[in-house]
Amino acid sequence: AKSHIEALAGRHIISGTGEGLFSPDRNVTREEFAKMLIEAFDFELDNVSTDLSDVPKDAWYYKYVATAQELGIVNGIGDNKFGVGTNISRQDMATMAYRAAKTAGTMIKRVKPVEIFADDNDIAEYSKESVTVMQQAGIINGVGNDRFAPNDNATRAQAARIIYMLYKENL
């Protein structure tokens, strides 16, 4: 994902974790991924708000989560919560990325046949279309052994690759 990371960093869509490091294997939180998507697609809206109970108005991520919710990219995790501070799962990353691409009007080209993963039954119903379309487009892949690992945490490198693949389609 090095070339993807460098391209996105050069456009100020993603940033490092400090001291010149990107930390590609570190997990991505839900709010970090929302920020990456909003900035990649230049979705920032003025005067957005959210009533999600775990998203305080003075938090650095407030406008990103509020914008993502306003645009239908995120719905939260239930109980009126966004899931701040929790690592994003691979299926939620695929879902948010797919919704962002649709909102931006990005044409996602399906270039591969559908792959039925061995753990397909573990993919949540709300994510199935997103995972399928993103897999067919070659934007997201399995993790090996014919598995998608929908509930595994997504890494910063995986997030950067997905955002780059969608971003370049939107140029």
Side-chain angles (χ1 to χ4, degrees):
K2 183 177 180 181
S3 62
H4 304 132
I5 292 165
E6 289 172 347
L8 293 174
R11 291 175 178 86
H12 303 287
I13 293 169
I14 60 172
S15 57
T17 57
E19 299 181 22
L21 299 174
F22 182 73
S23 305
D25 296 325
R26 197 192 95 202
N27 293 329
V28 178
T29 64
R30 292 174 55 80
E31 62 272 19
E32 288 170 336
F33 193 66
K35 177 186 183 287
M36 290 176 191
L37 285 173
I38 298 307
E39 290 192 343
F41 288 104
D42 200 27
F43 282 145
E44 292 187 54
L45 301 175
D46 294 324
N47 303 316
V48 291
S49 64
T50 182
D51 64 352
L52 292 167
S53 64
D54 61 342
V55 183
K57 288 188 188 232
D58 61 347
W60 67 264
Y61 48 82
Y62 181 85
K63 71 177 181 176
Y64 301 109
V65 173
T67 299
Q69 184 184 33
E70 179 82 20
L71 295 173
I73 295 167
V74 300
N75 297 320
I77 60 170
D79 294 329
N80 198 39
K81 293 185 188 268
F82 176 68
V84 169
T86 58
N87 296 326
I88 193 165
S89 67
R90 288 174 44 80
Q91 70 183 353
D92 284 357
M93 181 175 60
T95 301
M96 287 172 62
Y98 178 61
R99 289 175 181 166
K102 283 178 44 177
T103 299
T106 300
M107 179 59 112
I108 300 175
K109 298 175 190 127
R110 298 178 191 200
V111 296
K112 294 180 169 185
V114 173
E115 182 177 343
I116 305 299
F117 296 104
D119 56 358
D120 187 67
N121 289 335
D122 295 336
I123 300 171
E125 195 59 41
Y126 68 85
S127 285
K128 286 195 183 279
E129 178 185 7
S130 302
V131 170
T132 300
V133 171
M134 301 284 273
Q135 175 270 312
Q136 285 184 287
I139 294 170
I140 197 165
N141 302 308
V143 296
N145 297 324
D146 200 30
R147 293 181 50 249
F148 178 70
N151 295 305
D152 283 6
N153 295 328
T155 66
R156 289 172 52 84
Q158 290 169 341
R161 181 185 186 282
I162 288 170
I163 288 172
Y164 176 80
M165 298 295 285
L166 289 172
Y167 179 79
K168 75 174 186 144
E169 295 298 323
N170 208 39
L171 292 175

